[in-house]
Amino acid sequence: MRRTESVDTINQDTYRVGRIDYHNRSSTDFGMKILFPTFNPPAPTPSKQALTIPGANGDYSDGAHTYGAVDVQVGVVIRIPKRYKEYGWFEGWSLLKSDITNWLYGDPDWLKFELDPDYLYSAEVMSAPQFTPVNSERINATITFHLQPFKFEADNLKWKPLELGTTIAYNKENTNVRPDWHINGTGSFLLKVNGVPYEFDNLDGDLYLLGDESNAYSSDPDKINAENELLNTHLRLANNEAPELLCVGNGENTISFEKIDADATLNKFEFKPKYRRLI
C-alpha cells in the first residue's frame, strides 16, 4: 500500500516551505514555515467604472491606471519551539499563539517571502489568523494578508547616491514609477528627467521630495518627526507632478542634475527608485 505524504513530512515536489520576514522578525522565531503553493495572490482589479454618455455609442472608463488591494490566504505549519514547551501544552501554546498574533497585528509593513526574495510586499493583517492544532508538536494555520497591488524590488527601496552631471537609470519592471528624491545643500538646482525640468530653489539644508505625493519635506518622512516641515514653496515641478521613470523600451531614463547658482553647494543628492510591478 502506497504511503500518503502528509503535511507533517512535506514532499518538496508538492510543497515548498520557506519563512517570511515581517515587522522586523522572521516567522522561524515562532517555529512557523509558509507552505507553497498556498501563497497565490489574485491579480489586482483595475479601479475602473464604465460611464455612459447619452447620445454616444458604447461607454467610457474613468480609470487612471489605479488598482485595488487584494486579500490572500497563506497556509503555514507551526512547530512549537522548545522555549514554549517547558510551560506544558496548554499554557505553552497559549503563549505562542499570543506572541504570533501580536507579531502579525499592527501597522502596515514590508512583507518578504523567502521564495520570492527580490521583492517586498506592502502588507497588513486585518483579520484574525485561524489556528488548528494537529497534535502536541504541530499546529496548522491560515494567515490572511491584505496586500497593496504592487510588489517592489527590495534593493531599490533604499537610497541610491547620485551626483552632479548625467546618470542613466533603468526601470526594468512593467510600470512607470515616481521615485523619492533627497537633496542636501544650499542654493538652487535644476533636475531634468528625460529632458523634463524640475527646479529646487533657495535650499538651505535637507529637502525630501516624495514622488507619489509630489510634496517636499525638511526631514525623511519615513522617520517619525513631529517637526517635519512642508517645503513645497522651494519646488517648481513640471505639471505639478514629481519626476517619473518610464518602463518603455529597455527602461532607460536620463537623469541630469546641475547648479543654477554658481555658488550653490551640494552635499548629497540621492534617490529611491521604488521599481515595482503588479503582484
Side-chain angles (χ1 to χ4, degrees), residues 93-242:
W93 165 232
S94 296
L95 290 171
L96 176 57
K97 181 170 64 172
S98 176
D99 286 347
I100 290 172
T101 54
N102 186 65
W103 165 58
L104 291 172
Y105 292 168
D107 294 332
D109 202 357
W110 295 115
L111 173 66
K112 181 178 181 179
F113 290 88
E114 183 181 6
L115 297 182
D116 192 15
D118 295 332
Y119 291 92
L120 294 177
Y121 298 75
S122 179
E124 186 174 9
V125 174
M126 303 178 68
S127 59
Q130 302 300 310
F131 299 101
T132 305
V134 176
N135 53 43
S136 61
E137 299 287 335
R138 195 184 91 227
I139 294 93
N140 294 341
T142 301
I143 301 169
T144 301
F145 286 104
H146 185 72
L147 303 180
Q148 297 306 312
F150 294 97
K151 63 179 184 178
F152 293 78
E153 289 185 9
D155 186 58
N156 284 297
L157 289 171
K158 304 172 184 176
W159 291 107
K160 306 289 185 179
L162 295 169
E163 56 188 23
L164 292 170
T166 300
T167 302
I168 302 298
Y170 289 92
N171 178 4
K172 297 182 179 180
E173 296 295 349
N174 58 10
T175 61
N176 299 338
V177 295
R178 297 188 187 276
D180 296 339
W181 306 84
H182 173 217
I183 304 169
N184 178 278
T186 58
S188 299
F189 299 86
L190 177 65
L191 168 67
K192 290 184 179 179
V193 177
N194 298 322
V196 181
Y198 306 86
E199 284 191 28
F200 301 86
D201 297 326
N202 303 315
L203 301 189
D204 186 17
D206 286 304
L207 180 145
Y208 290 85
L209 172 60
L210 292 194
D212 291 336
E213 293 183 12
S214 296
N215 286 325
Y217 298 90
S218 60
S219 301
D220 188 347
D222 287 341
K223 300 176 182 178
I224 298 175
N225 186 344
E227 298 179 357
N228 208 351
E229 179 184 358
L230 194 64
L231 297 180
N232 286 350
T233 56
H234 295 267
L235 295 178
R236 294 179 64 185
L237 302 180
N239 299 318
N240 293 317
E241 292 182 326

Side-chain angles (χ1 to χ4, degrees), residues 7-68:
V7 175
D8 199 30
T9 55
I10 296 170
N11 184 336
Q12 296 296 317
D13 294 331
T14 304
Y15 290 97
R16 297 180 67 191
V17 296
R19 74 173 190 276
I20 60 172
D21 297 310
Y22 187 59
H23 285 154
N24 299 313
R25 297 195 67 175
S26 168
S27 60
T28 56
D29 294 343
F30 308 96
M32 179 189 297
K33 288 292 186 72
I34 308 304
L35 294 178
F36 293 85
T38 64
F39 174 68
N40 184 27
T45 302
S47 300
K48 292 185 177 183
Q49 183 176 1
L51 302 175
T52 301
I53 300 176
N57 295 316
D59 53 29
Y60 300 86
S61 66
D62 63 350
H65 300 289
T66 59
Y67 305 88

